[in-house]
């Protein structure tokens, strides 16, 4: 995360995006660095028949789409606000100048990109599973890996069942049935519709 003062000193401005509003579209060329001050963003694609596939979800403090600022290629995904969000937006050249003049930021960016690659490998591997339980468990294990308390049911899954379906390639009905089965098998606990893992 780049500090607010550094972002502003390199020409970043804040912009509010409302729920459902597109921040950038698939096939557009990247022109800005984006960092969330407050809110939630999803990166997604749509299949030919209109089914949504969510690649990732980001919240407060996260940046998104920055890897494409290093190559001259269009976005392979959309970025959409999934709640009202305030986002820092900095022109591409200003971002490149910022990381050139701040080596510690470069290292943070590399770490962030490596973490994203790790997530992609995990989710790509997830596609090979036939079992819905295995798919959901791998996603939950990844999410919980950032949570200090590893005891059972200590982590509340921060995703809706629809988002879990879109992230794993399952249909929402399958996710609902599988979560109920996982509760019976004592893998998860459900309290007030929230999933605890």
């Amino acid at each position: 995360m780049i500090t607010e003062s550094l972002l502003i000193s390199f020409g970043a401005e804040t912009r509010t995006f409302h729920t459902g509003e597109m921040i950038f579209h698939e096939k557009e060329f990247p022109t800005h660095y984006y960092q969330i001050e407050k809110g939630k963003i999803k990166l997604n694609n749509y299949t030919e028949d209109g089914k949504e596939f969510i690649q990732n979800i980001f919240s407060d403090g996260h940046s998104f789409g920055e890897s494409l600022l290093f190559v001259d290629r269009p976005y392979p995904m959309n970025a959409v606000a999934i709640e009202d969000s305030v986002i820092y937006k900095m022109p591409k050249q200003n971002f490149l100048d910022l990381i050139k003049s701040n080596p510690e930021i470069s290292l943070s960016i590399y770490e962030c990109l490596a973490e994203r690659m790790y997530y992609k490998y995990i989710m790509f591997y997830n596609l090979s599973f036939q079992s819905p339980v295995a798919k959901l468990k791998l996603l939950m294990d990844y999410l919980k890996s950032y949570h200090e308390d590893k005891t059972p049911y200590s982590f509340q899954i921060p995703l809706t069942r629809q988002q879990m379906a879109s992230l794993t390639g399952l249909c929402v009905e399958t996710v609902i049935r599988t979560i109920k089965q996982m509760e019976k098998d004592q893998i998860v606990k459900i309290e007030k519709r929230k999933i605890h893992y």
Side-chain angles (χ1 to χ4, degrees), residues 81-147:
I82 51 178
E83 62 183 47
D84 289 352
S85 302
V86 178
I87 298 175
Y88 287 103
K89 185 177 175 183
M90 178 193 305
K92 175 180 177 176
Q93 190 56 55
N94 297 32
F95 170 71
L96 296 175
D97 292 342
L98 184 154
I99 59 171
K100 281 178 197 165
S101 59
N102 294 275
E104 71 285 358
I105 298 293
S106 293
L107 186 58
S108 293
I109 296 289
Y110 297 147
E111 288 171 357
C112 177
L113 294 177
E115 189 61 47
R116 304 259 172 89
M117 285 301 297
Y118 178 76
Y119 171 77
K120 291 286 185 197
Y121 292 138
I122 292 283
M123 295 312 287
F124 186 69
Y125 177 56
N126 198 350
L127 294 176
S128 69
F129 290 139
Q130 296 299 313
S131 159
V133 171
K135 285 178 179 274
L136 290 171
K137 194 166 178 330
L138 188 67
L139 175 62
M140 290 179 192
D141 284 340
Y142 175 78
L143 294 170
K144 190 172 179 172
S145 71
Y146 294 98
H147 189 64

